[in-house]
Each structure stands twice: as C-alpha cells, then as structure tokens.
Amino acid sequence: MQRLVLSGALLVGACGVADDRPANLEYITNAILAPTCAMAQCHSAFKRAEGDQFDTVEAPRLSIVGHNLVDPLAGPLDPAQTFLIQSVTVGTRNRDGDTIRMPYDAPMPDADVQLIIKWISEGAKGAQCIANADGNGCARFLDPSTRQSKTRVVKCVDGVVGDTVQDCTGNQICSFSVGNGKCSG
Amino acid sequence: MLRLVIFTVVTAAAVAIAHPAAAYPQYQLSRDQTCSGCHLSPAGGGLLTENGYSVAETMSQFGTAPEFLNGILPAPSWLALGGDLRAAGGFIKTPSNEPAVFPMQAELYAHATFEGFSLHVTGGARPAQWITGNGTPGVLDRLWSREHYVMWQQDASAHEGLFVRAGRFMPVFGLRLAEHPVYTRRYGGTPLYADTYGAAVEYVTSAWEAHLTGFIEDPLIDPVSHDSGAAAYSEVRLNAQLQVGGELMVTSATDHVRIRGGATAKLYLPSVDTLVQAEVQYARTQIDGGRAPNQIIAYVMGSKFLGSAMLLDVGLGHYDENVAIRGLDRDAVDVNLHWFITSHFELVVQNRIEGLGVGQSVGGPTGGWTLLHAHYRL
C-alpha cells in the first residue's frame, strides 16, 4: 500500500513537470511573446512601443536583430545578461533613464523566461540576422586570435546565419542598422 | 518631481491597462434581459437607447439628464450622438510598484438611422505608433476610427430580431466585459483594439440570441490582431434570472491556427441584488513547427449592487498558458468599486493582485495594480 501511495505521489508530482516545449522563435513568439508582450499599447504592430514588435515571427526577428536585444553570436554569451532577458527579470533603462521591468502589466512566468534563455543559449536561431535583397545579413563573431568581437557579411535564411560572404576588416563593420549585408564605415 | 511626472506620462504610453470600454454586462439580467435593451448595437456598448438612458439616470447618485451633453444639444430623431472620456492613475506592480497616470479613452460616436438601415461611426484618439528615429507623431497619427459599420435591422423600433452588420467592429464573443485586462478578453480572443473588418449576422430576442461573425485581419492599418476567421456566440435565457451560453472561434494567421471553444453563464440573485457571471474557454493553438499548446482561460465575477449608485465587482481569473507544463498558470483577483455619481460621471477604484503558479513550487513574480479610473459619458 505504501508503495502504491508513493508511486501515485510520484506520478502526480511528475505530471506537467517536464518542460519539453520547443525552444525556437516560432513557438516562443506565438506562445509567449505575442500574448504577453504584444498588447495594443505595447509591442503590437499597432503601437510598436520603443520600436519593438513581438506579434509575428518576422517582427521579433527584426526587433531583436535591429536593436541588439540578444546579440547571439557575440560570444562568450551569457543569455541572462542580454537586454531581452534583463528586461523581463530585473528591468532595463528606457529612454528617460528609468528602469522598468517588462511585461509592464502582467508578470512573465519563470518557465517562460527559462525557455527564452535556452533559445538564446542555443544561438537564438531565427533572429541571428536579417537578409537584405541579396540574401545577405550581418553576423558578429569572436576572433579566436585576438578575442575581439568582429563582424562579417553572411548568407542569411529565415534569421539563421549561413555561409560567410566576407569578413569585415580594419574599421569596417557589418551592422543591420548601418548598411545591412555589407561591410561599411 | 518633474522627472516623476515625465516618467508617469511616458510609461502611460506603454501601459496596457487603459482604454475603451464596452458596456457593463453586469446589467444584463439584473437590469435588462439583453444588451440591445440598453444599447443601439446588438453587441452592447457605446450609444444608449432610451431605455439605456433611463437606467443611467436611475443608476446614479445624482440622476442628471442622461442624454448626450445633458440634452442641451438636441439631435434629430434619426441621429444618435455620444462619447466617452476616460483616464486613470495609480500604481502598477511590475513587480516593483510604479506610479502611472494615463488617458484611457476619448471617443465620439455617431449613429444615423434611415428606415431599417443605420451607419455607425466611432472616432477618436488612439495610441500613436512608434516612429523610428524619435520622430514625433502628428495629430493624424493619434486619431482613428475604431468602429464604422453599416447595419440593417429587422425591427428598428424594438431592438430585437435580426441584425446584419458589415464594417469594422469587435466580433461578439463571450461575456464582453468592459474591463479588457480580464483574462477571457486579454487571452480569450477579444483583446483591446482587436476590432477589425468583418460581417455579422445576429439575432436577438429576450429569450435567446445568436451572433455569427466572419472577420479578416485589418488590411488598412497595422493591427493589434493578425487573425482572420469566424466567431460564433449564442446565449439562452432559461428564465429571467439564468442564462447559459456557448462560444466558438476559429482563426488563422501567418504563423498559427487557433481554435477556441467555451461556455458562459449568468445568474442573477434578486434577493441580494447580485449577479454572478462566468466564462470558461479552451484554446488550442497550432503553431508552425508542430506544437499546439492547450490553454484554459476562465473568469468568474460576482457583482453586488450597493444601493442605487454603487456596484462592487469581485472577479477571479485563471489562465493556463500550457496545461502540460507546471508554473505557467496565472490567477488573478480583481476588486472593482464603481460609483455612478451622475448619469454621466463615474469613478471606479480598480484593484488586481496576480500570481503565477499559485500553490506550486514554480511560478514567477506577483503583479497587480490599484487605479482610480474616472469616466465621463458625453
């Protein structure tokens, strides 16, 4: 009887514990970011507060790459220190210098934060780059010889970094906001 | 101090607690049988009928003339005019306590009737969309028409029977509580500003009503909701104090297909002048990539009328983002006290405390707010 009770308790305890949700941008956008962050007055297409939008897969890709919310390839990467995670755990400074924790109107479950951290730690696939008309984007990498962060032009498909097209040298950089998909400067 | 003022105003632009409200479904069964008994729209909300004016006057501390602008600007019989102004201030727990003061609604309504046909337009302020480069939105960027539709109704004088609408409006679905942060609205398919273009066939009688709406993602502006689909809602009044309802919504967007089904119920207890209403919804979202989280969304509200001018709402909400995973469910307790000072002016104290994974070892921070909300109906 004791064994039966113990087995039952273990089953009940195990029910719903394992978080096997996929750590990809499609799931995170539709199941977490859109219902939590994309309210009318916040990060919906309707408002686009602070320029960030999280209601379709394309939208967070653009916000994350365009505003360096994750910087997935600028290793060594600590996902917990990225702007995206800081904003939902301890708060980040807004334009007026005030620290505000997101979501503003309803807290985010710890398990959702952990799933986003897992997605970032696995490279934030889907929001690594934005392709220009030629299919090229920008990526950051850690130069193994100098341990310096550098940038390069890469092939970019669905927000995932592909083959290297060109390493930027000297003072040139590849940045989404400064001539996306080419070395400039 | 200046910094505090700037902060509150700026955060006001980001807060999601504001904005236009619909009717008070607390009045259904307790004061009238149907929404259209008091409102021109078969969905409820917005402009009032003569009966609605009468209820507004009766349900107020100092019953003033309930008509548009207290009746000082009489309109022809074919034209109904109105409007709503709302603002709020208080603290929002995010989980730290942040002061917040923000406008909620500034809208005007016009409803012109020609025989059985009518044209309805709601116009007013909207939150301006962010402009990259810190550009300042212009006046036109802050204005819009949230609703505009043409309607045919079978019996224009009775506010019952068959209604057919086409244009921009919110699909009728569920309890339609005015407070859009309630889970059955926020997570339940009718969030704030989810009004969109569609067509609806609706039938309303004192015994039952049914609403079928087909809608599309707004092709003209960047919308709140990207879903297109159909919504069906019906409710049956078993007697003068009890009604039950059913709901179904199927939508799709670029990244997902979603189905929602649920039930509603209302019970009025005349001996204690209290209305209890509840909605339970199951939602399943098929996300590109193969996963389909099952969700439960529920809200129950008890509303006690206190004398002729006050209304106390106590609501309990539950939202489980994914029933298979622990710690993803949230529960909220809402306590709202309405004071209808005149036929036009209302003060509401709104409070919420919200917990994640309540009673479990996993969850998250606690949230909530306490706000004083002022509402003036023109």
Side-chain angles (χ1 to χ4, degrees), chain B residues 260-346:
Chain B
R260 302 176 182 278
T264 66
K266 285 189 180 187
L267 173 65
Y268 177 59
L269 304 169
S271 59
V272 287
D273 203 6
T274 298
L275 181 84
V276 180
Q277 54 187 327
E279 180 174 358
V280 179
Q281 191 182 109
Y282 162 81
R284 181 178 175 86
T285 304
Q286 183 68 47
I287 297 169
D288 284 359
R291 285 304 181 96
N294 296 309
Q295 302 178 328
I296 297 292
I297 310 141
Y299 200 79
V300 58
M301 175 186 275
S303 299
K304 166 71 176 168
F305 292 86
L306 304 170
S308 62
M310 300 191 97
L311 175 63
L312 176 66
D313 296 326
V314 178
L316 301 174
H318 178 79
Y319 169 56
D320 199 335
E321 177 189 316
N322 187 329
V323 297
I325 310 295
R326 284 181 66 192
L328 293 181
D329 54 307
R330 64 180 69 223
D331 294 279
V333 178
D334 294 328
V335 179
N336 304 328
L337 180 63
H338 306 253
W339 180 23
F340 303 99
I341 299 172
T342 73
S343 303
H344 296 265
F345 185 52
E346 169 197 13

Side-chain angles (χ1 to χ4, degrees), chain A residues 12-22 24 26-27 29-32 35-42 44-53 55-58 67 93-112, chain B residues 3 6-7 10-19 92-95 98-100 126-130 134 144 186-187 192-193 221-224 226 255-256 258 287-288 291 293 295 319 321-322 324-328 330 354 356 363-367 369:
Chain A
V12 170
C15 180
V17 171
D19 190 346
D20 61 349
R21 295 177 295 167
N24 60 49
E26 289 78 11
Y27 187 90
T29 299
N30 282 289
I32 301 174
T36 308
C37 311
M39 295 296 100
Q41 282 284 68
C42 305
S44 60
F46 180 76
K47 172 64 180 174
R48 212 176 285 154
E50 300 286 319
D52 292 325
Q53 183 183 331
D55 53 1
T56 63
V57 174
E58 282 295 323
H67 297 156
R93 284 180 178 271
N94 64 10
R95 287 176 299 146
D96 299 303
D98 297 298
T99 299
I100 298 180
R101 179 171 169 165
M102 294 288 144
Y104 194 73
D105 67 328
M108 181 179 283
D110 293 342
D112 282 348
Chain B
R3 186 181 173 82
I6 292 171
F7 170 73
V10 170
T11 52
V15 75
I17 313 235
H19 343 326
I92 297 175
K93 185 174 177 62
T94 74
E98 306 286 355
R126 58 158 284 174
Q129 192 180 44
W130 173 272
N134 292 333
W144 72 326
R186 175 176 174 149
Y187 302 111
L192 178 69
Y193 295 152
I221 65 168
D222 292 323
V224 171
H226 297 280
D255 312 318
H256 63 256
R258 182 176 288 129
I287 297 169
D288 284 359
R291 285 304 181 96
Q295 302 178 328
Y319 169 56
E321 177 189 316
N322 187 329
I325 310 295
R326 284 181 66 192
L328 293 181
R330 64 180 69 223
E354 180 175 36
L356 295 167
T366 301
W369 58 72

Side-chain angles (χ1 to χ4, degrees), chain B residues 26-82:
Chain B
Q26 293 94 318
Y27 285 15
Q28 194 188 17
L29 298 190
S30 63
R31 296 296 180 270
D32 207 294
Q33 291 293 294
T34 64
C35 299
S36 60
C38 291
H39 294 273
L40 292 179
S41 165
L47 290 166
L48 297 172
T49 62
E50 287 299 323
N51 187 51
Y53 283 141
S54 174
V55 172
E57 187 173 10
T58 306
M59 275 291 298
S60 66
Q61 191 80 51
F62 307 103
T64 51
E67 296 84 3
F68 176 60
L69 298 178
N70 293 69
I72 60 174
L73 190 65
S77 59
W78 55 269
L79 180 65
L81 299 170

